[in-house]
Amino acid sequence: MRYATKFRLVVASVAVLAAVSARADTLRETVLRQAALDAGLILAEDTHVDVPPALVAVGKLLFETKKLSLERDIACASCHLDRFGSTDGLPNAIGTEGRGEGVNRLMGGGDIIPRNALPFWGRGSKGFDVFFWDGRVDGRAERMISQFAGEEPSTDPLVVAVHLPPVELGEMLLNSAGNETLQRETVESANQVYSQLEQRLREDPIIGPALARAHGVARSELRFVDMAEALAGFIRHNFRLKPTRLHEFVFGSGGLTNDEVEGGLIFYGKGRCAMCHNGAYFTDFLFHAIPFPQAGFGKNGFGVDYGRYNVTLDVADLYAFRTPPLYNVTKTAPYSHSGALYDLSDIIRAHIDPLADAKSIPSDKRQRAEFYKVLKRWSASPVAGVVLSETDIDRTVAFLNTLEYKSDEPVAAEE
Ligand code: HEC
Ligand code: HEC
């Protein structure tokens, strides 16, 4: 065969192949778009709840001030930092008497909170009504569930949730000899803290008048719940969902790389991730046990955290945690309720093959026994039995990168 004919043949077959693969790619993209919609992805704007701008502005002041901690020691923004995607970059948060940000904070002493700080993306938007790792504030049912046990200060679950940090010992309330009466963590002692804080903020020359204007009441009438509404309004507005690259791909004309498309197909397909990470926020708002290693002391002490069980006291809920939403997950390392893992691919490996890394099996006898109990619960979950290659894992991480977006305004704790 003459070269020219051969060349023409090659060119023709490449063209055919290109056409086939272009069509094949489009098909994979179509499948991914449909899978994302079937799993509950909706337009970012459709999740929004409007908050009056004046309330957002004073909410930001409250978020950044240390005056919301009884000892003027720590601000919300000390742990929920912008550069760590609204968490603190630490495995376990450091509360009162902590100093500095990020890793410096680890060296500065201070009370350790036995849980990984949670970010705020989408919190309090439409349908986002379950808060904290163990769902201890839950506004889904007609009667809200929370520590206030029927005496909730508001019907808005995010407003109830923001009531907790200022009265949680070691978080914003100092564990010191001077305030024993406030350390009981009862509704009455919480109310004493709220009334001190509300008086302080009412009298504050900047926050007082701004808050009174935002609520349209006299300064003297301001209550703690008005402050909580402003804080909730700021969180709800500043961290509301914005269109990510995935939204642009599904609803607009944005493209994804080949790895991202393949990763998406794994996420919704054989990885079974979307069996739990689904809906508008990539969470089913349910509680599952995944055998991540437990870092730190644990909410129940000695390296144990019973998770959802602490709220329901139902043994079926032992070691279960709220499925975390996945927006901006690339920015919020370390991961899991105890911040045990820093790397997204390790997180995926721990979901599907918890025994792959011998280091994740605790050497301490009691902790090892707990670990095996988690393993037993996990073995009945949809991720047990998923097999992913290293390339699959890399591609799934590439897909998680498409869920990034930026908040409106950077936040920083006052000096
Ligand atoms: C000492 C560090 C620290 C401070 C200060 C702090 N938080 Fe948090 N925040 C955390 C940790 C840790 C969690 C997760 C706790 C858990 O789920 O058990 C959390 C969780 C939350 C959640 C739940 C988010 C979700 O996904 O359900 C909200 C809301 C919240 N914080 C609001 C605030 C507000 C408002 C302030 C200031 C009044 C504040 N936090 C101060 C560490 C902190
Ligand atoms: C059975 C339900 C379930 C399935 C299926 C599932 N997850 Fe999870 N995922 C969880 C729960 C629950 C946690 C938190 C557990 C904890 O902290 O103890 C979690 C944690 C995570 C985290 C850490 C997030 C953070 O902010 O700390 C990522 C990332 C994640 N999952 C991604 C995935 C991917 C990718 C898949 C598919 C390979 C997947 N998950 C499958 C329930 C599930």
Side-chain angles (χ1 to χ4, degrees), residues 53-190:
L55 201 61
V56 174
V58 65
K60 180 167 193 279
L61 295 176
L62 287 164
F63 195 81
E64 294 180 331
T65 183
K66 293 186 175 164
K67 292 172 189 153
L68 261 179
S69 70
L70 207 58
E71 318 279 339
R72 295 183 165 81
D73 181 62
I74 190 166
C76 309
S78 307
C79 292
H80 297 282
L81 292 158
D82 229 50
R83 72 189 163 94
F84 298 114
S86 81
T87 74
D88 56 4
L90 299 176
N92 285 189
I94 310 265
T96 45
E97 297 190 286
R99 297 283 168 263
E101 283 183 0
V103 175
N104 290 335
R105 203 165 169 78
L106 269 185
M107 314 299 176
D111 288 321
I112 294 179
I113 314 297
R115 291 247 172 100
N116 186 219
L118 279 160
F120 290 151
W121 316 105
R123 271 52 173 180
S125 289
K126 284 186 190 143
F128 200 127
D129 298 323
V130 181
F131 295 97
F132 302 106
W133 280 107
D134 45 20
R136 61 184 178 276
V137 174
D138 185 340
R140 280 174 302 185
E142 206 163 295
R143 255 197 83 221
M144 198 183 308
I145 298 167
S146 83
Q147 273 116 314
F148 290 95
E151 295 177 50
E152 279 75 18
S154 165
T155 53
D156 176 341
L158 182 56
V159 172
V160 174
V162 303
H163 270 74
L164 297 181
V167 294
E168 288 202 13
L169 270 189
E171 189 157 327
M172 296 184 85
L173 188 60
L174 195 64
N175 220 337
S176 75
N179 60 1
E180 283 113 349
T181 54
L182 301 177
Q183 290 182 19
R184 286 195 299 265
E185 295 199 331
T186 60
V187 175
E188 296 80 69
S189 66

Side-chain angles (χ1 to χ4, degrees), residues 118 121 123 128 277 281-283 285 322-327 329:
L118 279 160
W121 316 105
R123 271 52 173 180
F128 200 127
H277 297 279
Y281 305 99
F282 290 87
T283 169
F285 292 109
R322 182 190 70 188
T323 305
L326 296 177
Y327 286 107
V329 71

Side-chain angles (χ1 to χ4, degrees), residues 77-391:
S78 307
C79 292
H80 297 282
L81 292 158
D82 229 50
R83 72 189 163 94
F84 298 114
S86 81
T87 74
D88 56 4
L90 299 176
N92 285 189
I94 310 265
T96 45
E97 297 190 286
R99 297 283 168 263
E101 283 183 0
V103 175
N104 290 335
R105 203 165 169 78
L106 269 185
M107 314 299 176
D111 288 321
I112 294 179
I113 314 297
R115 291 247 172 100
N116 186 219
L118 279 160
F120 290 151
W121 316 105
R123 271 52 173 180
S125 289
K126 284 186 190 143
F128 200 127
D129 298 323
V130 181
F131 295 97
F132 302 106
W133 280 107
D134 45 20
R136 61 184 178 276
V137 174
D138 185 340
R140 280 174 302 185
E142 206 163 295
R143 255 197 83 221
M144 198 183 308
I145 298 167
S146 83
Q147 273 116 314
F148 290 95
E151 295 177 50
E152 279 75 18
S154 165
T155 53
D156 176 341
L158 182 56
V159 172
V160 174
V162 303
H163 270 74
L164 297 181
V167 294
E168 288 202 13
L169 270 189
E171 189 157 327
M172 296 184 85
L173 188 60
L174 195 64
N175 220 337
S176 75
N179 60 1
E180 283 113 349
T181 54
L182 301 177
Q183 290 182 19
R184 286 195 299 265
E185 295 199 331
T186 60
V187 175
E188 296 80 69
S189 66
N191 282 336
Q192 287 184 41
V193 176
Y194 298 143
S195 65
Q196 290 190 41
L197 294 177
E198 88 193 0
Q199 189 179 347
R200 176 189 294 170
L201 291 163
R202 209 189 273 148
E203 286 164 8
D204 185 90
I206 295 165
I207 295 173
L211 197 62
R213 251 194 322 274
H215 281 291
V217 298
R219 235 166 121 176
S220 58
E221 286 169 32
L222 287 171
R223 294 286 170 270
F224 189 79
V225 68
D226 301 317
M227 297 152 199
E229 275 174 15
L231 271 173
F234 171 69
I235 292 175
R236 188 169 262 146
H237 177 80
N238 200 63
F239 301 98
R240 71 193 182 283
L241 297 193
K242 297 208 181 153
T244 63
R245 286 202 296 121
L246 182 68
H247 287 95
E248 274 152 20
F249 167 76
V250 172
F251 299 108
S253 54
L256 296 183
T257 67
N258 193 41
D259 275 357
E260 290 163 352
V261 171
E262 294 305 319
L265 291 170
I266 295 166
F267 187 91
Y268 292 107
K270 71 173 176 181
R272 299 190 198 152
C273 313
M275 290 189 77
C276 302
H277 297 279
N278 56 34
Y281 305 99
F282 290 87
T283 169
D284 52 6
F285 292 109
L286 296 176
F287 303 86
H288 307 275
I290 308 283
F292 293 135
Q294 169 70 40
F297 194 60
K299 192 97 176 169
N300 296 87
F302 302 102
V304 175
D305 191 332
Y306 291 138
R308 180 70 174 159
Y309 171 83
N310 290 329
V311 176
T312 62
L313 302 181
D314 178 347
V315 287
D317 290 327
L318 275 169
Y319 322 104
F321 294 89
R322 182 190 70 188
T323 305
L326 296 177
Y327 286 107
N328 284 317
V329 71
T330 38
K331 304 178 192 169
T332 61
Y335 302 106
S336 88
H337 70 272
S338 77
L341 298 170
Y342 276 83
D343 193 286
L344 282 171
S345 40
D346 287 340
I347 276 282
I348 297 177
R349 283 185 205 102
H351 273 76
I352 60 173
D353 192 3
L355 293 174
D357 181 3
K359 285 201 295 293
S360 51
I361 305 166
S363 53
D364 175 84
K365 226 166 118 191
R366 176 161 176 225
Q367 288 180 22
R368 193 162 57 237
E370 300 294 337
F371 182 78
Y372 283 119
K373 286 189 220 163
V374 187
L375 212 55
K376 187 157 171 253
R377 307 197 77 84
W378 162 85
S379 63
S381 84
V383 262
V386 168
V387 178
L388 298 178
S389 69
E390 284 303 301
T391 314

